[in-house]
């Protein structure tokens, strides 16, 4: 909340004494009484990155004050586009020294309000730093700047025989994905971003440069001291700014085949998923879409699939291995009453299928023009997935809310994508209530309130219930340790 | 170093004032002037765990003051065997409150002096807590107490269709493996312990109980707050006591086949490794043994393998998939001049082979009775493995040191197992010099000084060179945050 002070300085002092928390970062050297940054401070930003790379325009600030979720826009006071890590470091030191909040920004495709500038401050947009600085094909690793997106990276890798497997759907920036703890459709086979980050370069809040596994290092394993890399993956921009990531790559599979497969019920689709995993079929992707989502995808992506609970599957391997995997899977799905098993072997056909899956969010939004979307994100042990998915589907029907269900069911992770009229406060309230109830149901089943979207603004209460008092205290200690002035992306996670 | 004070209390005060670090933990309520724990303190230990579970006998203390390495024995002042987590918690609170160091102990099979009581204190032996408390076969997860060993766990899993893949050779306790960041022969396919820990129960130094991912939770992925689980994996007992671990299990492969394969040179063996990985053959194990080690294994384990640089390989999968993997691998090794390709399909034959590999340490020790062993542990990017291994082999020959090389070469990790006469100070010195030089060579190739044995006592200088000033400062902050009195396993890692 940006507090607009119109009173005289004496009154500001009075207010500050009464509510120190609200004022702690508002250095009068850097911010004027209008709640904006002082002219001198903006000049200091320009001195670091150059005038064209600083903006205080309302439209620019508003664009940077929100992501794709329903969290309301909370614009920063300025947006800057550094060109290199040295500039990021100097920006951080400047802001931290002056008590100004810092909000890292990638593609803005987050889903939990992670970029909302709840206390104003400076948004550091890292997308101009988009070079792929090193590719070690023999070692299956690559070093990228923070603004490289996953599609740009895979385009760059096209002729290398390698690919970057983490695919959350959106063409997110890699370091945004690292900060969020992203995963997506391929994680069931290749792991989440957590499993695919080898080393990070991080600008700490005070501007110091940390290489979490030592500068320039890339190895498959290490037992050298505390795991600093893991500490920053999923930290949602609250501990530092990620300015470079060393990633693990995987060999492009010899052959790939995809399929869709419709089921008579949600239960049958999810039971099949559990059985496929338990049979140790090394499925590369196994995605669930409910009838509502399938209907939306048919319209939006011009598919002609059955409007029924459906699995989208993909298999990777040699021709021989694929034949085995497919045979196993068909047997399991048929036992569960599957019909309309449709194979896509050609690359174009497969791409169309996965584009439709990735566009499920937009397909559902298109059902109700003018609405915004909110996505739940619980993840439970696989064995509990059938019961929670069936219950949730029933509850969604009776809630009066509009939306569909999609899920990375191979990981036990699924999303209710709920449509919300941005002007309807009562509907907002029902969405929040539905989300909290679903979160608590997942917690009761030994699951988590967030598999891949992060805590952000919306799940801080659920995090406390999930992790317990000592866990929360430890997380708070970590935050204080790395960000003692609480200026890095304030208000998120904790 | 246990300081034996024989002076009067006044002199002790003087000394303490002169060197406060040496005395910081020596509360006079708990330790007498002889450097031993006070009678009252020992009674307090007995009140928590029961008299039979506390020992101050010299032989017991000496057994707990060393591991399998050449680090000299530094016994604790007492050893206790708690029976449950509540007792661990009360022990920690007691010791921490009285300023007495705490050293966690598992099977004592570590290789970096991780259990040496460099400042005396209480050794907490966790091996009496050895129950497997929960097995979720449908979710591929298991919950174990800290004293369960990997062999006991796999014996328990025998009829479940699942297995625990991390295998460092020794029959180490699971939580010792977690604390060390262990990996071993299967990691190239199934990941290290880091990749296979889902949740930890940790007794913090002051006795509070932390569930790193929330109590009772087990899921395949999460983006809920900071990664506390990762922080404790590989923390070497310096941040808390691990009292329970939730582990990920894998399906037992349909079929398994192993092989040995001799090469004309170290270079040819390692080149084959790199090429097998680059061809994306999903090899389950790929281990290198040099000629010296093969000779020792032939004698010790009654094998009749060629005395030459050798790869031990294992493949997991369906019968069909195995045939493909084997065909690929044979082609690559033959191109590199391999001979004596010998397949072991039967379980008994395979077990004999891997027992020989696991006993390589003892086989080498047997070459020089009375000697102790020290193992280096560098890990480099795969592409740099041939050059460093060839160089190291040459250097070992010219060093005058006796020893062999074994390696988890699929991970870029290898060990020189060096034989040391425990009474020969000059030889000790040469071993340390060789180790440091090899560590620095690995660092220069973007590698790490330790792939799986940890920093312990022996690699603290190398860690500083590896991670840099800001990394070290961040690790020190973590230590202070969780262990402000610096009583948890003092002198290790930092």
């Amino acid at each position: 909340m940006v507090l607009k002070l119109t009173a005289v300085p004496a009154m500001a002092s009075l207010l500050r004494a009464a509510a120190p928390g609200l004022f702690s970062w508002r250095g009068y050297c850097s911010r004027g009484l209008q709640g904006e940054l002082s002219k001198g401070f903006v000049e200091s930003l320009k001195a670091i990155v150059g005038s064209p790379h600083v903006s205080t325009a309302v439209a620019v600030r508003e664009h940077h004050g929100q992501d794709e979720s329903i969290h309301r826009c909370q614009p920063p006071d300025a947006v800057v586009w550094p060109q290199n890590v040295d500039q990021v470091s100097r920006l951080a030191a400047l802001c931290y020294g002056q008590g100004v909040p810092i909000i890292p920004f990638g593609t803005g495709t987050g889903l939990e309000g992670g970029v909302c500038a709840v206390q104003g401050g400076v948004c550091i947009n890292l997308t101009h730093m988009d070079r792929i600085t090193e590719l070690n094909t023999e070692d299956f690793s690559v070093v990228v700047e923070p603004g490289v997106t996953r599609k740009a990276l895979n385009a760059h890798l096209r002729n290398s025989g390698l690919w970057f497997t983490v695919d959350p759907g959106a063409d997110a920036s890699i370091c945004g994905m690292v900060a969020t703890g992203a995963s997506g459709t391929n994680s069931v086979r290749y792991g989440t971003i957590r499993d695919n980050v080898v080393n990070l370069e991080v600008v700490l809040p005070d501007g110091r440069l940390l290489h979490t596994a030592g500068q320039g290092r890339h190895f498959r394993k290490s037992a050298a001291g505390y795991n600093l890399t893991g500490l920053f993956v999923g930290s949602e921009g609250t501990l530092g700014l990620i300015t470079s990531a060393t990633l693990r790559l995987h060999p492009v599979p010899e052959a790939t085949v995809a399929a869709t497969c419709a089921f008579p019920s949600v239960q049958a689709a999810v039971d099949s998923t559990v059985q496929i995993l338990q049979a140790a079929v090394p499925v590369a992707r196994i995605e669930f879409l409910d009838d509502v989502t399938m209907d939306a995808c048919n319209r939006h992506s011009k598919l002609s699939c059955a409007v029924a609970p459906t699995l989208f599957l993909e298999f990777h391997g040699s021709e021989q291995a694929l034949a085995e995997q497919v045979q196993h899977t068909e047997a399991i799905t048929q036992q569960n009453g599957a019909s309309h098993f449709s194979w896509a072997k050609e690359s174009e056909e497969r791409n169309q299928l996965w584009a439709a899956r990735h566009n499920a969010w937009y397909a559902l939004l298109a059902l109700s023009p003018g609405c915004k979307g909110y996505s739940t994100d619980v993840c439970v042990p696989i064995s509990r997935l059938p019961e929670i998915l069936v219950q949730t589907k029933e509850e969604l029907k009776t809630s009066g809310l509009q939306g569909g269900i999609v899920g990375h069911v191979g990981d036990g992770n699924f999303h209710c994508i709920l449509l919300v009229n941005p002007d309807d406060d009562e509907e907002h309230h029902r969405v929040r209530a539905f989300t909290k109830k679903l979160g608590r149901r997942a917690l009761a089943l030994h699951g988590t309130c967030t598999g891949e979207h992060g805590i952000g603004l919306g799940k801080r209460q659920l995090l406390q219930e999930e992790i317990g008092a000592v866990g929360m205290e430890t997380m708070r200690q970590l935050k204080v340790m790395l960000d003692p002035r609480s200026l890095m992306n304030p208000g998120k996670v904790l």
Side-chain angles (χ1 to χ4, degrees), chain A residues 7 16 45 105 134 179 203 220 229 248 251 254 261 280-281 363 377 422:
Chain A
R16 193 188 315 177
L45 295 175
F105 193 97
E134 205 180 313
V203 170
R220 285 175 66 103
T229 306
R248 192 169 168 186
E254 192 183 313
C261 176
V281 178
D377 183 35

Side-chain angles (χ1 to χ4, degrees), chain A residues 3 12-26 119:
Chain A
L3 192 71
S13 294
L14 248 172
L15 276 169
R16 193 188 315 177
L22 273 176
F23 288 82
S24 59
W25 64 271
R26 295 170 188 271
Q119 296 180 13

Side-chain angles (χ1 to χ4, degrees), chain A residues 132 134-135 142 151-160:
Chain A
I132 295 165
E134 205 180 313
L135 171 61
V142 69
K151 284 186 183 169
L153 175 55
N154 276 323
H156 183 87
L157 294 173
R158 193 164 288 145
N159 297 317
S160 70

Side-chain angles (χ1 to χ4, degrees), chain A residues 123-306:
Chain A
C123 173
I124 301 188
N125 182 318
L126 294 155
T127 54
H128 284 197
M129 292 171 63
D130 61 354
R131 291 177 313 149
I132 295 165
T133 51
E134 205 180 313
L135 171 61
N136 304 297
T137 51
E138 289 197 323
D139 297 318
F140 300 69
S141 76
V142 69
V143 184
V144 299
E145 287 189 339
V148 173
T149 68
R150 67 168 184 91
K151 284 186 183 169
L153 175 55
N154 276 323
H156 183 87
L157 294 173
R158 193 164 288 145
N159 297 317
S160 70
L162 300 172
W163 66 308
F164 176 65
T165 56
V166 187
D167 173 6
D171 189 22
S173 68
I174 299 287
C175 291
M177 290 165 62
V178 173
T180 311
S183 47
T185 56
N186 293 305
S187 294
V188 63
R189 169 82 174 256
Y190 299 99
T192 69
I193 189 100
R194 198 174 285 291
D195 306 304
N196 288 283
V197 174
V198 174
N199 200 349
L200 293 174
E201 181 186 77
V202 178
V203 170
L204 294 174
D206 59 8
R208 284 177 306 148
L209 199 59
L210 170 69
H211 294 92
T212 57
Q215 189 165 7
R217 309 204 174 284
H218 58 106
F219 27 64
R220 285 175 66 103
K221 68 183 197 188
S222 165
Y226 307 138
N227 181 6
L228 302 181
T229 306
L231 192 55
F232 286 90
V233 179
S235 62
E236 304 190 36
T238 63
L239 302 179
L241 296 122
I242 297 166
T243 49
S244 177
T246 307
L247 305 168
R248 192 169 168 186
L249 302 173
H250 293 262
V252 172
E254 192 183 313
T256 299
V257 63
T260 59
C261 176
F263 289 86
S265 66
V266 172
Q267 179 92 41
V270 186
D271 282 349
S272 299
T273 305
V274 174
Q275 290 161 21
I276 288 166
L277 293 174
Q278 284 169 357
V281 178
V283 60
R285 288 167 154 175
I286 183 163
E287 296 284 306
F288 170 81
L289 295 86
D290 74 351
D291 52 347
V292 175
T293 309
M294 286 309 296
D295 189 30
C297 287
N298 278 344
R299 293 167 198 226
H300 187 263
S301 298
K302 301 187 177 49
L303 299 182
S304 53
C305 293

